[in-house]
Amino acid sequence: MPIEKIDNPNSIIGRKLNQLPGSGPEKGIQTLPGESERDIADFAGGSYLTTTVDTMVNWARSNSLWPFPFGTACCAIEFMSMVGSHYDVSRFGAEVVRFSPRQADLLLVEGTIVDKMGPVLKKIYDQMPEPRYVIAMGACATSGGFYRAYHVMQGIDEIIPVDIWVPGCPPTPDGLMYGILKLKEKIDRGEIRRS
Amino acid sequence: MSTLTRYSAIPYTGPAPTNRAPYVPKNAEPANARGEAIATTLGNAAMTQERGQDMPTFLVERARIADVLRNLAENPDLAFILPLDCFGTDYPDREERFDVVYQLYSLKNNERIRLKVRVGENDTVPTSTGVFKSFDWFEREVFDMFGVRFEGHPNMRRILCHEAFQGHALRKDYDPAQRWILTEQNVARIIPKIDPRFATEDTDFERVTLNLGPSHPATHGTLRIVVTLDGEKIIGADAEIGYLHRCFEKMSETHTYQQVIPYTDRLNYCSAIINNVGYALAVEKLLGIEAPARAQQVRLMLSEFWRIADHIVCISANLVDIGALTNYWYLMQPREEIIGLTEACSGARLLPSYVRVGGLAVDVPSNFLEQAQRLVDMLPRYIDDVEKLIWKNRIFRERVQGVAVISKEDAINFGFTGPCLRACGVPYDVRKASPYIGYETYDWDVPIAEGGDTYARFLVRFEEMRQSLRILQQAIDRGLPAGPVIVDNPYVALPPKSKVYNEMESLIYHFKLIMHGIQPPVGETYFQVEGGNGELGFYVVSDGTKNPYRVRVRPPCFPLFEAFGQMITGQTIPDAIGALGSLNIIAGELDH
Amino acid sequence: MAITRVAPGIVRVERQPLTFSQRLYIPQILAGMMVTLGHLLKNLVNMKRMLIISYPEVKRVYSERFRGRHILTSREDGTTRCVACFMCSTACPAECITIEAGEDERTREKFPVRYDIDLLRCIFCGYCVDACPEDAIYMTRDYEMAIDTRARAVVGLRDLVVPPNFPVDPMGYRPYYGKIQKSGTAGGTGVGQPLRQAPFDDDTAPNPELYRGGNA
C-alpha cells in the first residue's frame, strides 16, 4: 500500500494545511517539510491584488514553461528519464526543451555546479528573458550535497536566485515533476512576479 | 530461553585485524618472480624492484623514467604498449615527498607493471608524452593536483581545477574545503593549435575559432571543445575539461571506506553499480576477504544489467545527436525497467549505493530472478526495434561510416580501453583478460569490430548488449546461490540488526565499526573491472586508519576524450558531434 | 548483424555494405516507418497498457525499499525512539544530520532535543538507517519534497517524528531483518515495551543467514 498524500481539490498538489503531521485522521505524512509553520495567508496569494488579466497571464506562463536543461551530472540522466516515454512531462506544457537560453523561461539546474562552471551558469541565467524561473534539482545544485570540497559550489544560490528546490540525489523523475508543478502553482498564484 | 541468551555467542571466530599490519597481496610471490624476470630482460640499471606488491613494481630513477617507459613499450618480449594510468601520491613526511606512479599493461602477455618515481617539491620529471600520447593529460593532472612539474611537456597548465585556483588540491596539507572563486575575468582563452597537416593548406576561407560547450546541447553537459575551422573543416581542436571536477579523490580521503561508496556511484552515473563493485573489490583485495557467492552473483548480474543501461544511454543519446529521436523513446523504456529492478533491490533508482565492502547492503528481493528473467526476455525486443530502424538506413550509415577514425596503434597509444578499443579490433576486455566475480565461468564472447570509426563503435556496443544478455541468461539459469550476502566479519560488515538490538557484543561491534570504520592493513593495491567505457581501476592506499590514504580512480573516459581532438581534426562539426556521442564520455568519471 | 568467430571467446561484428535496395533509401525509410507505425497501432488498440505514468493523477508505486524522506519512529508511549547516540550523523557521508542530546529525568535516558536533517544536503544513501542501533530512523517512500525556501529544507523533530502506531510496513528503506510484526515494536530499550519478546516474525531460529541472505 503506497502512502497517499492528501490532495486539495482546488490544486493539483495542494496539501492539507494547518495540521501537524499525524494529527489528522490520516496517518500519512501530510505536510511538506516545514510547511506546517507557514501561514495560510501566504498560500492564498495574500497581498497581491490579482486581476483577471494577471490571472490569465499567469495561467499562460505556468502552462508553457520551456525548460533549459542545464544538465551537468547524474540529475541530467534523471531529467532524461523525465522527458522520456515513461514519465510524460508534456502534459504540463514543459516538454519543449530549449538549448538556447534566449528561448527558455525555466532554468533547470541539474547536477553539480563546480566553481569552474560558475561563470557559465551566471552567463546563461543573464541571457534568459524575463520572466525567468529557476529550479535547482538535486543535492549538489541546491547545496553542494556531500561535496564539501575545494572545487564545488555550495548551492547555486551563491550566484543566481532559485525559485524551487528539489531535494534528492538524484530526485526521482516524479519528484522533479512535483517540483515543476509546485513552480506552476507558484506562478498561478502570482507569487513570482519578476517581469 | 530468552532472546538475549539465545544469541550469546557471536559467529565470527577469525582473528581480529591488527591495526597497521602490512598488507601482503595474495599474488605477491608470482609478482616478485615476474618482476625479476622483467628486470633481467630489460637489464636497465635505473630500475629497482619493490617487492611484495600485487603486480611487478619498480622504483625508477627520476631522470630516466621516459627511457624506461620507452624500453618497456619497445621490448618485443614485454610489449607494455597500453598506458593505463599516471598519477601522484603525496607522502609529506618523506624527503622526496611525491610518488608519481605509472601503470602499463601488456596486451601480449596480459600483465601489468607499476613504476614509481620519487619527486621532491622542487624537482621536475622528464615528460613521457613522447612515448605515450595518453600521458599528456595524465601529467597535467598530476601537475594540477600535486604541483609536480614535467620537463618538456608541451602544455603544462591546469586541467581539472579552474584558472583562479591557488595551490595543489591533492597535497595532504591542502584543506579539502578551501575554495577559490572564479570570475569571468579570469577565464582563460583557449586557442587550439592548428594541426600541421592543415597548417600550410591555403583555402579561400577565413579561419574561425569556435567554442562548443560547456553548455551545448551536443556536448552532454560539461564538455568543452574549442575548434578552429577552415570553412567547414576542423583544422585544430582543443578540449577543456574540469567542468564537473567534484574532487572525488580528495573527498575519499576525508571519508571512511564505506562512505566512499556513494561517491563512487557518482563517477560514472550511467552505470553506477559497476563503480561500486570495482571499489568494493579493490578494498576487499586490500582486506584479503572475499564476498559470499550470492553477493558476487548479484553483483555480476546487476553489473551486466547496468552495462546494458550504459550502452542504451550512449546509443540513444548518440542517435539523438545525429537526428534520430525515435530510438531514444524506444530505448528509454527498457532502461526504466532496469532502473526499476535496481530500485527494488537497493531503494534508489540511479545511484544505488547497493554494494558494501564485503558484500551487499541487503539481500535481493525474493522475486529478483523472475524480474531479471522478465527483463532479459524483454530487452531484445527493444534492441531489435532500434536495429530495424537504423542498420539499413542510408542516412544513418553515411553519418557514421568513416567518421572520426582512430587507428589501432593510436588507440593503444592513447590508452583506450573498452568498446572504443574493441572497435579498433583489439579484443581486450578485463572480464576475459583477468576475470573477477566469476566471469570466467560464463560462456560469452568479446565482440570486436574493424575500422575504429563511429560505425564500428555502434556495432560493438550493440553486440555487447547481446553478450551481456547471454551472461545474464546463464546467471538466471544457475539461480542464486543460497547463503548470506555479506561477509560474517564484524570488523568489516555491520552485524545483522536483530542481533544489534538484542546482543551486547553485536551492539559494540556495530558502534565500533561505525565510529572507527574498516581499517585495512597498510599497503597499496590496484583492482580493475570492466566499466561501461573500459577499464575502471581503483588504486587504494591504506595507512591503517579508517580513511583511505589515497584513492585513485582510473577513469576510462579520460584517455578517450583526450584523443577526441585528434580524431575530429579534418572532419566537420556535425561529424564531430556524432563521434562525441559514440565515445560515451561521462563527465562525472572524466573529471572525477 | 553478421558475426564471425575469430578466436575462442572473441567474435568480430562484420561491417556490412549496403545492398542496392538499401542504397535506394526510400524502402528502408518505409521499413523504419512500419516499426513506428506498429508501435502507434499497438498503443492505440491497447491504450491502457501504454507505458506512460500520468503523474500526479497516477503515482508510480516504488518498491518497499525506496529511499525517500526520513521519519523518526516512536515508542508505544509516544516518546521518540531515538536515543541521540549520534550513530547516524557519524555514518552520514553528507554530514547533514545535526543532533543535540538531552536527558530524560524520569528514565535517565538520552533523547534528542534537536534533530535536524538538511534535506538538501542529504544524498538519500540510507547509511543513517543502516547505522541506527535503535530502529529509530526509517526512510519513507515520500519523494515529493520540492520546496521554495532553502531554510525550510532543514526539517526538525516536528516534521520527522511520527506517532507510535504509524504504519511502517509498506514504508520504505528501513533496517532489514526479515518481516516485521505489524503490531510489535522492533527491539530497543523502549519504555512500555514488553521485554524479551521476540520482535520479529522470523526471529525464532538463531540462523544469521536468515537476516542477511536466504529467502528473506
Side-chain angles (χ1 to χ4, degrees), chain B residues 482-539:
Chain B
V485 295
I486 194 154
V487 287
D488 210 353
N489 180 341
Y491 296 98
V492 175
L494 294 174
K497 281 285 179 200
S498 56
K499 298 173 122 200
V500 173
Y501 296 152
N502 291 308
E503 243 182 39
M504 205 55 202
E505 271 167 297
S506 291
L507 186 68
I508 291 168
Y509 277 132
H510 183 92
F511 268 65
K512 258 191 82 73
L513 190 57
I514 285 172
M515 283 298 179
H516 300 158
I518 302 171
Q519 300 182 345
V522 180
E524 57 195 289
T525 192
Y526 178 80
F527 196 86
Q528 69 287 335
V529 296
E530 179 76 17
N533 296 324
E535 173 168 333
L536 177 79
F538 285 94
Y539 173 81

Coordinates of all heavy atoms in Angstrom, one line a residue, chain B residues 482-539:
Chain B
A482 N 22.5 -20.0 -2.4 CA 22.0 -19.7 -1.1 C 23.1 -19.2 -0.2 O 24.2 -19.3 -0.5 CB 21.3 -20.9 -0.5
G483 N 22.7 -18.5 0.9 CA 23.7 -18.1 1.8 C 23.6 -16.6 2.1 O 22.7 -15.9 1.5
P484 N 24.5 -16.1 2.9 CA 24.4 -14.7 3.2 C 24.9 -13.8 2.1 O 25.5 -14.3 1.1 CB 25.4 -14.6 4.4 CG 26.3 -15.7 4.3 CD 25.5 -16.8 3.6
V485 N 24.6 -12.5 2.1 CA 25.1 -11.6 1.1 C 26.2 -10.8 1.6 O 26.7 -9.9 0.8 CB 24.0 -10.8 0.5 CG1 22.9 -11.6 -0.2 CG2 23.4 -9.9 1.6
I486 N 26.7 -10.9 2.8 CA 27.8 -10.1 3.2 C 28.6 -10.9 4.2 O 28.1 -11.9 4.8 CB 27.3 -8.8 3.9 CG1 28.4 -7.8 4.1 CG2 26.6 -9.1 5.2 CD1 28.0 -6.4 4.2
V487 N 29.9 -10.6 4.2 CA 30.8 -11.5 5.0 C 30.4 -11.5 6.4 O 29.9 -10.5 7.0 CB 32.3 -11.1 4.8 CG1 32.8 -11.4 3.5 CG2 32.4 -9.6 5.1
D488 N 30.7 -12.5 7.1 CA 30.4 -12.7 8.5 C 31.6 -12.2 9.3 O 32.2 -13.0 10.0 CB 30.0 -14.1 8.8 CG 29.0 -14.1 9.9 OD1 28.8 -13.1 10.5 OD2 28.5 -15.2 10.2
N489 N 31.9 -11.0 9.2 CA 33.1 -10.5 9.9 C 32.8 -9.1 10.5 O 32.6 -8.1 9.7 CB 34.2 -10.3 8.8 CG 35.5 -9.8 9.4 OD1 35.6 -9.3 10.5 ND2 36.6 -10.1 8.7
P490 N 32.7 -9.0 11.8 CA 32.2 -7.8 12.4 C 33.2 -6.6 12.2 O 32.8 -5.5 12.6 CB 32.0 -8.2 13.8 CG 32.8 -9.4 14.0 CD 32.9 -10.1 12.8
Y491 N 34.4 -6.9 11.8 CA 35.3 -5.8 11.6 C 35.2 -5.2 10.2 O 35.8 -4.2 9.9 CB 36.8 -6.3 11.7 CG 37.0 -6.8 13.1 CD1 37.0 -8.1 13.4 CD2 37.3 -5.9 14.1 CE1 37.2 -8.6 14.7 CE2 37.5 -6.3 15.4 CZ 37.4 -7.6 15.7 OH 37.6 -8.1 17.0
V492 N 34.3 -5.8 9.4 CA 34.1 -5.3 8.0 C 32.6 -4.9 7.8 O 32.3 -3.9 7.3 CB 34.6 -6.3 7.0 CG1 34.2 -5.8 5.6 CG2 36.0 -6.6 7.1
A493 N 31.7 -5.8 8.2 CA 30.3 -5.7 7.9 C 29.6 -5.4 9.2 O 29.9 -6.1 10.2 CB 29.8 -6.9 7.2
L494 N 28.5 -4.6 9.1 CA 27.7 -4.4 10.3 C 27.0 -5.7 10.6 O 26.6 -6.4 9.8 CB 26.7 -3.3 10.0 CG 27.2 -1.9 9.8 CD1 26.0 -1.0 9.3 CD2 27.8 -1.4 11.0
P495 N 26.9 -6.0 11.9 CA 26.2 -7.2 12.3 C 24.7 -7.1 11.9 O 24.2 -6.0 11.8 CB 26.3 -7.3 13.8 CG 27.3 -6.3 14.2 CD 27.4 -5.3 13.1
P496 N 24.0 -8.3 11.8 CA 22.6 -8.2 11.5 C 21.8 -7.4 12.6 O 22.2 -7.4 13.7 CB 22.1 -9.6 11.5 CG 23.3 -10.4 11.5 CD 24.5 -9.6 11.9
K497 N 20.8 -6.7 12.1 CA 20.1 -5.8 13.0 C 19.5 -6.5 14.2 O 19.5 -6.0 15.3 CB 19.0 -5.1 12.3 CG 19.5 -3.9 11.4 CD 19.8 -2.8 12.3 CE 20.4 -1.7 11.4 NZ 21.1 -0.7 12.0
S498 N 19.0 -7.7 13.9 CA 18.3 -8.4 15.0 C 19.3 -8.7 16.2 O 18.9 -8.7 17.3 CB 17.7 -9.7 14.5 OG 18.8 -10.5 13.9
K499 N 20.5 -8.9 15.8 CA 21.5 -9.1 16.9 C 21.9 -7.8 17.5 O 22.2 -7.8 18.7 CB 22.7 -9.8 16.3 CG 22.4 -11.2 15.8 CD 23.6 -11.7 15.1 CE 24.0 -13.0 15.7 NZ 25.3 -13.3 15.3
V500 N 22.0 -6.7 16.7 CA 22.3 -5.5 17.3 C 21.3 -5.1 18.4 O 21.7 -4.5 19.4 CB 22.4 -4.4 16.2 CG1 22.6 -3.0 16.8 CG2 23.5 -4.7 15.2
Y501 N 20.0 -5.3 18.1 CA 19.0 -4.9 19.0 C 19.0 -5.8 20.3 O 18.5 -5.4 21.3 CB 17.6 -5.0 18.4 CG 17.4 -4.1 17.2 CD1 16.6 -4.4 16.2 CD2 18.1 -2.9 17.1 CE1 16.4 -3.6 15.1 CE2 18.0 -2.1 16.0 CZ 17.1 -2.4 15.0 OH 16.9 -1.6 14.0
N502 N 19.6 -7.0 20.2 CA 19.4 -7.9 21.3 C 20.6 -8.3 22.0 O 20.6 -8.9 23.1 CB 18.7 -9.2 20.8 CG 17.3 -8.9 20.3 OD1 16.5 -8.4 21.1 ND2 17.0 -9.2 19.1
E503 N 21.8 -8.0 21.5 CA 23.0 -8.6 22.0 C 24.0 -7.5 22.2 O 24.2 -6.6 21.4 CB 23.6 -9.4 20.9 CG 23.7 -10.9 21.1 CD 24.4 -11.5 20.0 OE1 25.3 -10.9 19.4 OE2 24.0 -12.6 19.6
M504 N 24.7 -7.6 23.4 CA 25.7 -6.6 23.7 C 26.9 -6.6 22.7 O 27.3 -5.5 22.3 CB 26.1 -6.8 25.1 CG 26.6 -5.5 25.8 SD 25.3 -4.3 25.7 CE 26.2 -2.8 25.8
E505 N 27.4 -7.8 22.5 CA 28.6 -7.8 21.7 C 28.4 -7.3 20.3 O 29.2 -6.5 19.8 CB 29.1 -9.3 21.6 CG 30.0 -9.6 22.8 CD 30.2 -11.1 22.8 OE1 29.2 -11.8 23.1 OE2 31.3 -11.6 22.6
S506 N 27.3 -7.7 19.7 CA 27.0 -7.2 18.4 C 26.8 -5.7 18.4 O 27.3 -5.0 17.4 CB 25.7 -7.8 17.8 OG 26.0 -9.2 17.6
L507 N 26.2 -5.2 19.4 CA 26.0 -3.7 19.5 C 27.3 -3.0 19.6 O 27.6 -2.0 18.9 CB 25.1 -3.4 20.7 CG 24.7 -2.0 20.9 CD1 23.8 -1.6 19.8 CD2 24.1 -1.7 22.2
I508 N 28.3 -3.6 20.3 CA 29.6 -3.0 20.4 C 30.3 -3.0 19.1 O 30.9 -2.0 18.6 CB 30.4 -3.7 21.5 CG1 29.8 -3.4 22.9 CG2 31.8 -3.2 21.5 CD1 30.3 -4.2 24.0
Y509 N 30.2 -4.2 18.4 CA 30.8 -4.2 17.1 C 30.2 -3.2 16.2 O 30.9 -2.5 15.4 CB 30.6 -5.6 16.5 CG 31.6 -6.7 16.9 CD1 31.2 -7.9 17.4 CD2 32.9 -6.4 16.9 CE1 32.1 -8.9 17.8 CE2 33.8 -7.3 17.3 CZ 33.4 -8.6 17.7 OH 34.3 -9.5 18.1
H510 N 28.9 -3.1 16.3 CA 28.2 -2.1 15.4 C 28.7 -0.7 15.7 O 29.1 0.0 14.8 CB 26.7 -2.2 15.8 CG 25.8 -1.3 15.0 ND1 25.2 -1.8 13.8 CD2 25.4 -0.1 15.2 CE1 24.5 -0.8 13.3 NE2 24.5 0.3 14.1
F511 N 28.8 -0.3 17.0 CA 29.3 1.0 17.3 C 30.7 1.2 16.8 O 31.1 2.2 16.3 CB 29.2 1.2 18.8 CG 28.0 1.8 19.3 CD1 26.8 1.2 19.1 CD2 27.9 3.1 19.9 CE1 25.6 1.8 19.5 CE2 26.8 3.7 20.3 CZ 25.6 3.0 20.1
K512 N 31.5 0.2 17.1 CA 32.9 0.3 16.7 C 33.1 0.5 15.2 O 33.9 1.3 14.8 CB 33.7 -1.0 17.2 CG 34.5 -0.7 18.5 CD 35.4 -1.9 18.8 CE 36.7 -1.8 18.0 NZ 37.6 -0.7 18.5
L513 N 32.3 -0.3 14.5 CA 32.5 -0.3 13.0 C 32.1 1.1 12.5 O 32.7 1.6 11.6 CB 31.7 -1.4 12.4 CG 32.0 -1.6 10.9 CD1 33.5 -1.9 10.7 CD2 31.2 -2.7 10.3
I514 N 31.1 1.7 13.1 CA 30.6 3.0 12.6 C 31.5 4.1 13.0 O 31.9 5.0 12.3 CB 29.2 3.2 12.9 CG1 28.3 2.3 12.1 CG2 28.8 4.7 12.8 CD1 26.9 2.3 12.4
M515 N 32.0 4.0 14.3 CA 32.9 5.0 14.8 C 34.3 4.9 14.2 O 34.9 5.9 13.8 CB 33.0 4.9 16.3 CG 31.8 5.5 17.0 SD 31.6 7.2 16.7 CE 30.1 7.6 17.5
H516 N 34.8 3.7 14.1 CA 36.2 3.6 13.7 C 36.4 3.1 12.3 O 37.5 3.1 11.7 CB 36.9 2.6 14.6 CG 36.9 3.1 16.0 ND1 37.1 2.3 17.1 CD2 36.8 4.4 16.5 CE1 37.0 3.0 18.2 NE2 36.8 4.3 17.9
G517 N 35.3 2.6 11.7 CA 35.4 2.2 10.3 C 36.2 1.0 10.0 O 36.6 0.3 11.0
I518 N 36.3 0.6 8.8 CA 37.1 -0.5 8.4 C 38.5 0.0 8.4 O 38.8 1.0 7.9 CB 36.7 -1.0 7.0 CG1 35.2 -1.4 7.0 CG2 37.6 -2.1 6.6 CD1 34.7 -1.7 5.6
Q519 N 39.4 -0.9 9.0 CA 40.8 -0.5 9.0 C 41.7 -1.5 8.3 O 42.1 -2.4 8.9 CB 41.3 -0.3 10.4 CG 40.4 0.8 11.1 CD 40.8 1.1 12.5 OE1 41.6 0.3 13.1 NE2 40.4 2.2 13.1
P520 N 41.9 -1.4 7.0 CA 42.6 -2.4 6.3 C 44.1 -2.3 6.7 O 44.6 -1.3 7.2 CB 42.4 -2.0 4.8 CG 41.4 -0.9 4.8 CD 41.4 -0.3 6.1
P521 N 44.9 -3.3 6.4 CA 46.3 -3.3 6.6 C 47.0 -2.2 5.8 O 46.5 -1.8 4.7 CB 46.8 -4.7 6.3 CG 45.7 -5.3 5.5 CD 44.4 -4.6 5.9
V522 N 48.2 -1.8 6.2 CA 48.9 -0.8 5.5 C 49.4 -1.3 4.2 O 50.1 -2.4 4.1 CB 50.1 -0.3 6.3 CG1 50.8 0.8 5.6 CG2 49.6 0.2 7.7
G523 N 49.2 -0.6 3.1 CA 49.7 -1.1 1.8 C 48.9 -0.4 0.7 O 48.1 0.5 0.9
E524 N 49.2 -0.9 -0.5 CA 48.5 -0.3 -1.7 C 48.1 -1.5 -2.6 O 48.7 -2.5 -2.6 CB 49.5 0.6 -2.4 CG 50.7 -0.1 -2.8 CD 51.8 0.9 -3.2 OE1 51.6 1.6 -4.3 OE2 52.8 1.1 -2.5
T525 N 47.0 -1.2 -3.3 CA 46.5 -2.2 -4.2 C 45.8 -1.6 -5.4 O 45.4 -0.5 -5.3 CB 45.6 -3.3 -3.5 OG1 45.4 -4.4 -4.3 CG2 44.3 -2.7 -3.1
Y526 N 45.7 -2.3 -6.4 CA 45.0 -1.8 -7.6 C 44.1 -2.9 -8.0 O 44.4 -4.1 -8.1 CB 46.0 -1.5 -8.7 CG 45.4 -1.0 -10.0 CD1 45.0 0.3 -10.1 CD2 45.2 -1.9 -11.1 CE1 44.4 0.7 -11.3 CE2 44.6 -1.5 -12.3 CZ 44.2 -0.2 -12.4 OH 43.6 0.3 -13.5
F527 N 42.9 -2.6 -8.3 CA 41.9 -3.6 -8.9 C 41.2 -3.0 -10.0 O 40.8 -1.8 -10.0 CB 41.0 -4.1 -7.8 CG 40.3 -5.3 -8.2 CD1 40.9 -6.5 -8.0 CD2 39.1 -5.3 -8.9 CE1 40.3 -7.7 -8.4 CE2 38.5 -6.5 -9.3 CZ 39.1 -7.7 -9.0
Q528 N 41.0 -3.7 -11.0 CA 40.4 -3.2 -12.2 C 39.1 -4.0 -12.6 O 39.1 -5.3 -12.4 CB 41.3 -3.2 -13.4 CG 41.8 -4.5 -14.0 CD 42.7 -5.3 -13.0 OE1 43.4 -4.7 -12.2 NE2 42.7 -6.6 -13.1
V529 N 38.1 -3.4 -13.0 CA 36.9 -4.0 -13.6 C 36.6 -3.4 -14.9 O 37.2 -2.4 -15.3 CB 35.7 -3.9 -12.6 CG1 35.9 -4.5 -11.3 CG2 35.3 -2.4 -12.5
E530 N 35.8 -4.1 -15.6 CA 35.4 -3.6 -16.9 C 34.1 -2.7 -16.7 O 33.1 -3.2 -16.5 CB 35.1 -4.7 -17.9 CG 34.6 -4.3 -19.3 CD 35.7 -3.8 -20.2 OE1 36.9 -4.0 -19.9 OE2 35.4 -3.1 -21.2
G531 N 34.4 -1.4 -16.8 CA 33.2 -0.5 -16.7 C 32.5 -0.4 -18.0 O 32.8 -1.1 -19.0
G532 N 31.5 0.5 -18.1 CA 30.8 0.7 -19.3 C 31.7 1.2 -20.4 O 31.4 0.9 -21.6
N533 N 32.7 2.0 -20.1 CA 33.6 2.6 -21.1 C 34.9 2.0 -21.2 O 35.8 2.5 -21.9 CB 33.7 4.1 -20.8 CG 32.4 4.8 -20.9 OD1 31.6 4.4 -21.8 ND2 32.2 5.7 -20.1
G534 N 35.2 1.0 -20.4 CA 36.6 0.5 -20.4 C 37.1 0.1 -19.1 O 36.3 0.0 -18.1
E535 N 38.4 0.0 -19.0 CA 39.0 -0.4 -17.7 C 38.8 0.6 -16.6 O 39.3 1.7 -16.7 CB 40.4 -0.8 -17.9 CG 41.1 -1.1 -16.5 CD 42.4 -1.7 -16.6 OE1 42.7 -2.3 -17.7 OE2 43.2 -1.5 -15.7
L536 N 38.0 0.3 -15.6 CA 37.8 1.1 -14.5 C 38.6 0.6 -13.3 O 38.3 -0.5 -12.8 CB 36.3 1.2 -14.1 CG 35.9 2.0 -12.9 CD1 35.9 3.4 -13.3 CD2 34.6 1.5 -12.4
G537 N 39.7 1.3 -12.9 CA 40.5 0.8 -11.9 C 40.5 1.6 -10.7 O 40.3 2.8 -10.7
F538 N 40.7 1.0 -9.5 CA 40.8 1.7 -8.3 C 42.1 1.3 -7.6 O 42.4 0.2 -7.4 CB 39.6 1.4 -7.4 CG 38.3 2.0 -7.8 CD1 37.4 1.3 -8.6 CD2 38.0 3.3 -7.4 CE1 36.2 1.9 -8.9 CE2 36.8 3.9 -7.7 CZ 36.0 3.2 -8.5
Y539 N 42.9 2.4 -7.4 CA 44.1 2.2 -6.7 C 43.9 2.7 -5.3 O 43.7 3.9 -5.1 CB 45.2 3.0 -7.5 CG 46.6 3.0 -6.8 CD1 47.5 2.0 -6.9 CD2 47.0 4.2 -6.1 CE1 48.7 2.1 -6.3 CE2 48.2 4.3 -5.6 CZ 49.1 3.2 -5.7 OH 50.3 3.3 -5.1

